Amino acid sequence: MDKICIKGGVPLEGIIPIGGAKNAALPLMAAGLLTPERLILENVPDLADITTMANLLAQHGVAISLETVRGSGNMLKLCAAHITSTTAPYDLVRKMRASVLVLGPLLARCGRARVSLPGGCAIGPRPVDLHVKGLRRLGAEVELRQGYIDARAPKGLKGAEIAFPTVSVGATENLLMAATLAEGETLLINAAREPEITDLATCLVSMGARIDGIGTDRLRIVGAGQLSGTSHMIIPDRIETGTYIMAAAATDGEVRLTGTRIDLVAALVRTLEGAGVEVSATADGLRVRRRGGSLEGVDIMTEPYPGFPTDLQAQVMALMATATGASMITETIFENRFMHVPELTRMGANINVHGASALVRGVRALMGAPVMATDLRASVSLVVAGLVASGETVINRVYHLDRGYERLEEKLAACGARIERMRNAR
Ligand code: EPZ
């Protein structure tokens, strides 16, 4: 298995290009199932999760071709003219929970879908009950048997009002996609407003869907008989953007991020302003540097968009580990998303977890150590910590990083970081 070795203590200086958003690309790929025509997606990141989704779609009968355009993201062409299977098998779904996003499109287009239940996850139980309840509201018969969600709508789906009791990104995406082919009007109330949902809705509109309220928590969809193909450019990855902002601030460096937008990380920018980090817009992205020398502890609470994203919670904790003073970090989205805490503690961080909150008391320095990652964002928080720590940090289970960060070592090394991948290291 690959490992990543970092010799920390070098301030990052330079330019980092940001790729297309993984969490926008995955639902957009699933949206390819809604039309028999060709969907072209541009700015697709080159990541393990994208390959997993492509493999899943291929086994449903989708014709897929990928053109590598180095430096400006890949172009993915999908054509679901003939859907040959409506079953998403356990072997593929267990690799990536986002596979459940084929449920709504398959059911809406074919009147049948059998999708494996994703099972547990390192960051919490992550049920899919809201997806299932929503599809039932649209008139589907859904049963859970033998570990599968078995959904049928032989006469097609019918528009309905669906009020989500809690905000769910995936359930909003699944039901939004399903509603585009349902008969009549669907109203999604308390819908998630993440930029990835806006991106999906924008693409669906360009495929011929009728959607009002894009960017708000009330989406009104009027179903169409059929959707057409289109070409769509995926938005920049705001979590990759936020991660490199934190890496630059943590190392007291100065970095320019290109191919991204400051408005996508507004909550992070506001938080970091209080911590003494200046993030300013540039013509093609943003620039990060500390305002003075020191970093101040600030309190953070994760919330659905436009609040502080849970996907940046582990990275901001690594940043706060060497701030002056204390920082209270509260996780409200997932029940078990502090798995990085024991690893950061092994590197010398002073962190105490009390329920959903972690109290981080800043220390003068972190020390390199061998560490183990449990999920994507936890792994990258260890990279941020390793870049600041004195001595050597070796990160195991790098496959987590490959799911969501494209050419991570290359991008950081170009800014002076002493980082390398040890292939097949024991
Ligand atoms: C998406 O996951 C992202 N994944 C996650 O990113 C992200 O952390 C999460 O949204 C929150 O922003 C993708 O976009 C592919 P949710 P999703 O449904 O859709 C509960 C990363 O690192 N819930 O918004 O699965 C759930 O348990 C990943 O890139 C139910 O109770 O998240 C959680 O507590 C990790 N029932 C909360 O809602 C349901 O049916 C929010 O989950 C669905 C969700």
Side-chain angles (χ1 to χ4, degrees):
M1 253 191 278
D2 292 3
K3 294 182 180 183
I4 281 185
C5 175
I6 305 173
K7 293 192 175 74
V10 183
L12 295 181
E13 306 277 348
I15 298 174
I16 300 180
I18 299 299
K22 165 181 83 82
N23 289 347
L26 295 171
L28 282 164
M29 289 170 72
L33 289 164
L34 290 166
T35 173
E37 296 179 17
R38 193 164 69 170
L39 174 64
I40 300 176
L41 298 174
E42 293 176 72
N43 200 27
V44 178
D46 184 8
L47 299 168
D49 275 9
I50 300 296
T51 307
T52 305
M53 183 58 100
N55 291 339
L56 177 62
L57 294 177
Q59 75 82 48
H60 289 307
V62 179
I64 302 181
S65 72
L66 182 74
E67 279 171 37
T68 306
V69 198
R70 192 167 161 91
S72 60
N74 294 334
M75 186 191 283
L76 196 61
K77 295 179 181 168
L78 309 163
C79 185
H82 306 288
I83 294 176
T84 52
S85 160
T86 52
T87 297
Y90 176 64
D91 268 359
L92 284 169
V93 178
R94 75 179 164 82
K95 281 193 186 161
M96 185 183 69
R97 301 183 57 84
S99 307
V100 79
L101 293 172
V102 299
L103 176 63
L106 281 175
L107 183 63
R109 171 104 182 270
C110 308
R112 178 86 210 263
R114 234 181 121 245
V115 176
S116 170
L117 281 160
C121 169
I123 62 179
R126 302 182 74 185
V128 288
D129 57 313
L130 301 176
H131 304 236
V132 169
K133 281 180 192 151
L135 291 173
R136 285 190 178 130
R137 293 275 306 160
L138 294 182
E141 289 163 27
V142 191
E143 286 181 72
L144 304 182
R145 52 175 164 221
Q146 293 166 331
Y148 277 76
I149 305 166
D150 199 341
R152 289 160 200 261
K155 295 193 187 123
L157 297 170
K158 293 218 168 21
E161 192 174 292
I162 300 168
F164 296 106
T166 49
V167 179
S168 163
V169 173
T172 302
E173 290 166 343
N174 238 334
L175 292 159
L176 171 62
M177 289 189 279
T180 59
L181 291 183
E183 187 193 321
E185 187 178 304
T186 298
L187 187 61
L188 301 181
I189 301 168
N190 198 24
R193 286 181 282 168
E194 270 63 6
E196 293 75 19
I197 288 169
T198 298
D199 204 33
L200 172 64
T202 307
C203 178
L204 291 170
V205 167
S206 123
M207 291 165 76
R210 287 167 58 198
I211 308 170
D212 287 336
I214 296 176
T216 74
D217 62 358
R218 278 175 89 89
L219 294 170
R220 199 174 68 90
I221 305 114
V222 180
Q226 187 167 323
L227 296 184
S228 56
T230 193
S231 176
H232 179 80
M233 173 74 78
I234 295 172
I235 54 165
D237 196 312
R238 64 195 169 98
I239 306 303
E240 187 191 24
T241 302
T243 301
Y244 288 123
I245 289 178
M246 241 89 74
T251 60
D252 199 4
E254 182 167 344
V255 170
R256 212 153 62 73
L257 304 182
T258 58
T260 188
R261 294 180 355 225
I262 199 166
D263 62 288
L264 294 173
V265 285
L268 172 67
V269 172
R270 271 194 307 277
T271 302
L272 292 188
E273 212 173 321
V277 179
E278 189 182 283
V279 184
S280 51
T282 60
D284 58 352
L286 53 88
R287 182 195 311 276
V288 193
R289 63 177 166 216
R290 286 197 197 167
R291 226 179 4 251
S294 76
L295 194 63
E296 303 293 326
V298 283
D299 293 343
I300 292 140
M301 185 182 288
T302 64
E303 285 172 325
Y305 191 85
F308 192 97
T310 174
D311 289 345
L312 288 175
Q313 179 258 110
Q315 300 90 312
V316 83
M317 193 178 292
L319 175 67
M320 289 293 119
T322 55
T324 306
S327 167
M328 177 75 88
I329 300 181
T330 305
E331 172 59 54
T332 71
I333 310 291
F334 291 109
E335 287 162 40
N336 192 26
R337 216 175 192 183
F338 285 140
M339 302 287 274
H340 41 286
V341 170
E343 301 301 303
L344 290 171
T345 306
R346 294 185 59 249
M347 297 176 71
N350 180 348
I351 308 172
N352 285 296
V353 175
H354 306 275
S357 295
L359 179 62
V360 186
R361 292 188 178 88
V363 294
R364 195 176 290 275
L366 294 178
M367 297 160 301
V371 286
M372 186 80 80
T374 44
D375 76 84
L376 170 59
R377 310 304 172 187
S379 320
V380 87
S381 79
L382 301 175
V383 172
V384 173
L387 291 169
V388 188
S390 59
E392 187 176 277
T393 297
V394 177
I395 301 167
N396 292 280
R397 300 195 182 164
V398 167
Y399 57 86
H400 287 298
L401 285 171
D402 295 336
R403 292 186 58 177
Y405 290 91
E406 194 177 0
R407 297 184 289 113
L408 175 94
E409 316 89 89
E410 206 182 296
K411 290 183 183 187
L412 288 170
C415 290
R418 291 175 296 180
I419 177 168
E420 55 178 23
R421 179 180 292 242
M422 300 184 292
R423 294 203 182 268
N424 298 316
R426 284 188 178 273

